[in-house]
Amino acid sequence: MHQGADLLTGLLIGSVYLAIFDWCLFDVEMNWQTFLILMVAQDFCYYWFHRASHRVRWMWAAHAVHHSSESMNFSTAFRQSLMYPLAGMWVFWMPLVIIGFDPKWVIFVVLLNLGLQFFVHTQAVKSLGPLEWIINTPSHHRVHHGRNPQYIDKNYAGILIIWYRLFGTNAQEVETVEYGITKPVNSFNPIKVTFSEWRDMFADVSSANLGLMTRLRILFAPTEYSRYR
């Protein structure tokens, strides 16, 4: 479902990127140095996309699908939502196109980043030694998927962990990780898993006697605001 949605929206989003590329700030020539710069810049953008996906309820409605798995293995990496295009994932790569990186290279680096993250979805690797201080590892990512109170909203890394060290969102794997979300879906039906948080969000925002600002906060504030009643 996720891949199908990406294919259907890819042409539209690609055309948006190409339109922006017509008036970008610079004309970045791609070589190995600028490729490395693009990799780091995209990873920085990914950190903020990932953090927003946990802290903005509208985006969490899509991202919750990935976290709803109560297991941690390579199949969890493929557990994604078809609603990412609506949630706004693509907006976070637009600054790279505006700077002047070719949209084709931007999309390639996004896919490469996501592809490398496939390998951190495992319990088989306990530690990668010194690499734990530099890159996202299975240990870091197990923490990210935990619903233990001290693990929630931590370790948003794509590839480099410098971002969550800089912005104070890191946590170490200490106690056994309990996987899943604090409001379990309790279903293997892909339709229910995909749309359950959207349903709950719109049920909250449709409640009677709410002002406009309250409705907006329900949609775009952190997820815990859904418990305002």
Side-chain angles (χ1 to χ4, degrees), residues 15-57:
S15 64
V16 172
Y17 285 172
L18 289 170
I20 293 172
F21 196 62
D22 286 340
W23 54 269
C24 57
L25 297 175
F26 307 99
D27 183 11
V28 180
E29 181 181 352
M30 192 55 60
N31 52 48
W32 71 267
Q33 295 102 325
T34 53
F35 179 78
L36 290 178
I37 292 171
L38 176 58
M39 283 285 293
V40 173
Q42 190 276 328
D43 200 56
F44 174 76
C45 292
Y46 178 84
Y47 170 87
W48 289 105
F49 153 72
H50 201 179
R51 184 167 177 169
S53 293
H54 283 256
R55 302 303 298 156
V56 177
R57 195 179 182 193

Side-chain angles (χ1 to χ4, degrees), residues 106-120:
V106 171
I107 293 171
F108 172 76
V109 169
V110 168
L111 295 175
L112 178 60
N113 188 308
L114 294 173
L116 291 172
Q117 292 182 51
F118 171 84
F119 298 100
V120 299

Side-chain angles (χ1 to χ4, degrees), residues 79-147:
R79 188 187 184 99
Q80 303 289 349
S81 174
L82 64 83
M83 300 297 284
Y84 276 124
L86 179 63
M89 180 181 187
W90 56 278
V91 174
F92 287 81
W93 322 135
M94 287 178 64
L96 303 173
V97 180
I98 292 172
I99 289 171
F101 290 102
D102 189 310
K104 294 188 294 294
W105 281 104
V106 171
I107 293 171
F108 172 76
V109 169
V110 168
L111 295 175
L112 178 60
N113 188 308
L114 294 173
L116 291 172
Q117 292 182 51
F118 171 84
F119 298 100
V120 299
H121 293 84
T122 181
Q123 298 182 70
V125 178
K126 301 307 178 185
S127 173
L128 291 180
L131 291 178
E132 299 284 341
W133 292 91
I134 304 169
I135 64 172
N136 192 15
T137 65
S139 178
H140 291 303
H141 206 61
R142 285 193 293 269
V143 167
H144 178 69
H145 275 260
R147 60 184 174 191

